[in-house]
Structures are given as C-alpha cells and as structure tokens.
Amino acid sequence: MGLTSALVARQDVEKFQQDGVVVLRNVVNQQTLDDLAQALDDNMKSPGPWANEYADGSQQGRFFDDYVNWARFAAYKDHALVGALPQIALQLMNVNSGKFFHEHVLVKEPGTNRITPWHHDDPYYGIDSEVNVSLWVPLDPIPETIALRAIKKSHRWGKRFVPRRFVDESAYVAQAEGFEALPDAQTLEASTEIETFAAMPGDLVAFHFRTLHSAPATTLHSDRRRVISFRYTNNEATWANRPWKTSPPLDAQNLKPGDLINDQRFPTIARTS
C-alpha cells in the first residue's frame, strides 16, 4: 500500500505485524516531548475523574495513572491527532485512516515498589478491535532494568484473558465467556519470546492491544519513569460490553454492542502523505 515513510521503515511495519511489538528510535522530536511533559505535569496537579494512585498511603514512590484527558490538555490532543504520532500509528496499522481511542499516562516516581504485572490491554477496553496500536512514549530515559517487556507474537495466540487489577493482581471475575484465566507470572516469565525495550526520550514502543506486556518496579531507580501512551484503532473498531468495569470506564451513550465507534469521543485520524 506504500504506507511507509522516513518515520517507519518497512521492516518495522513488518515486525509490528508479525511480533505485535516494535521499538522505533528517535521518531518523537524534542518540542513534542517538551509539550507532553508540561501537559503531564499539569495533569498530575489536576487529575481527571478516573485517575489512580496505586501506591497511595504506602511508604514508597508515587505510582500515578490517568487517562482520557485529551480534551482538557491541548498538548495531548494536538499530538494525538496531528504530527508524527498519528502518522506512525496509521503506518503500523497499514491503513489510511483510523480512530484515536485515548491517551494514558503512567508515572512511577523513584522507589516505586509496585510492578506493572503481565497483562494485555484488549480485555480492559469497552471496544473490540483487531487492527490497533498503542504508542508507548517515554519522557525519561528507560534503562533495561525498568523497561517495558513484551511477549512477542502473543497477539496472535487467539486468546483473550480475564483482566487483573494492578493494585493486587486479582482477577476481575472468576470466568467470562470468550475469556480465559491469565497464566501465572512464572509461566509467562518462562517464555522464550520475551523482549525488553530500553528506550530514550524520542523513542517509542508500539504494541498491539493483545500483546502481553509488563514492567518492573522502580525500587532501585533514582529517577522518574514518565510514559504517555496513545492508542489508536482502524475504522472497524466497535463498541463492546464487558462483564466488568472497563478501563477507561466510558459510557455507552448511544452506542450499542457492535456499533462502530463513530462519535466525537473517538476522533478520526488520516494519512497526510
């Protein structure tokens, strides 16, 4: 389809399609990073209604997350919809247009003891999407010791796992039609397909919604680990009901299961070249 450019090499598109995860080096410019860092600082001072403090009340570093604040902070919206990020997303999905789903910020302050446990994002969401990508954009240097880890090709297993709570790793429900229990951490850690993605500001890690991934604690790390993820789908993504509270917990409004997510909450992105 001729959808590659200087931002995304053809081999990176192929790796993403095959492995469900790829790292792109030096594709986010400094102005974008500065804009996003300021927006994230403002966001942490003014959390949205769905923000979480996973280490609240404990003797450790802050572990903050929040999402769907792009309507409140211009930099989130601007960079989600215009510029390098949406163009990279479209190229990796191999489509000419698609939808911006939402942004998600994750901040681990120095000394955060909590890990990000193994999971894939798809079951948490209230949409069904086969063609999608999350762009995981670090604002700080991410050494291998605290880097995102992913199990390559896990998006092609044909499995969807009952989501688990980050705070205590408990399953949302005991069982659900179309979903199965997530294998225990020891089993997943034994995979020979684990890849670790050390990254610098300017890099990003792109992964499919069904790619299993995790991240270590920052207990011995002396700096912050700030990341903003931007999530995209093709135009065929549909609304879905789940037997649990979705993340983000968006209201259906006028959407019914199976309806295309064609409303103002999910802006359209399009190829510019």
Side-chain angles (χ1 to χ4, degrees), residues 26 37 41 51 58 60 73 85 94 101-102 113 137 159 168 172-173 196 207 213 215 222 226 234 256 270:
N26 199 29
D41 186 55
S58 61
Q60 61 171 298
F73 301 104
L85 297 179
N94 212 24
F101 183 27
H102 68 283
N113 298 332
V137 181
K159 296 181 178 181
D168 61 6
Y172 277 25
V173 297
T196 301
F207 56 91
H213 58 283
S222 60
R226 297 171 298 166
N234 68 355
K256 298 179 178 62

Side-chain angles (χ1 to χ4, degrees), residues 31-47 64 66 69-70 72-79 103 105 107 139 226 228 230:
Q31 186 61 60
T32 299
L33 295 171
D34 291 344
D35 292 347
L36 293 176
Q38 182 60 60
L40 177 53
D41 186 55
D42 294 340
N43 190 170
M44 293 183 75
K45 293 174 182 175
S46 177
F64 172 85
D66 203 356
N69 287 296
W70 59 268
R72 294 202 299 136
F73 301 104
Y76 291 166
K77 179 179 180 179
D78 292 347
H79 293 294
E103 96 294 331
V105 303
V107 179
L139 303 183
R226 297 171 298 166
I228 306 178
F230 294 85

Side-chain angles (χ1 to χ4, degrees), residues 101-242:
F101 183 27
H102 68 283
E103 96 294 331
H104 184 187
V105 303
L106 285 160
V107 179
K108 290 183 179 180
E109 300 283 7
T112 300
N113 298 332
R114 290 196 180 276
I115 66 167
T116 301
W118 284 107
H119 68 288
H120 58 186
D121 294 338
D122 170 275
Y124 292 85
Y125 300 158
I127 65 168
D128 285 327
S129 171
E130 296 292 335
V131 178
N132 57 67
V133 65
S134 285
L135 304 183
W136 191 89
V137 181
L139 303 183
D140 303 295
I142 310 290
E144 186 168 346
T145 53
I146 63 165
L148 181 76
R149 307 164 71 226
I151 300 179
K152 295 183 295 183
K153 302 179 179 64
S154 55
H155 71 307
R156 303 172 69 187
W157 289 357
K159 296 181 178 181
R160 304 171 86 182
F161 299 110
V162 174
R164 292 180 174 270
R165 299 173 181 87
F166 279 21
V167 67
D168 61 6
E169 299 185 46
S170 61
Y172 277 25
V173 297
Q175 57 185 13
E177 183 177 357
F179 298 85
E180 57 187 271
L182 182 71
D184 61 58
Q186 184 176 3
T187 298
L188 295 173
E189 289 287 346
S191 171
T192 59
E193 295 289 345
I194 294 175
E195 187 171 355
T196 301
F197 297 93
M200 294 293 292
D203 302 339
L204 64 78
V205 183
F207 56 91
H208 192 276
F209 292 178
R210 293 191 188 177
T211 296
L212 286 164
H213 58 283
S214 68
T218 61
T219 309
L220 301 178
H221 188 64
S222 60
D223 296 312
R224 310 172 83 188
R225 199 207 73 160
R226 297 171 298 166
V227 175
I228 306 178
S229 289
F230 294 85
R231 290 164 179 156
Y232 301 91
T233 74
N234 68 355
N235 289 319
E236 279 65 62
T238 57
W239 188 259
N241 287 340
R242 301 279 186 248

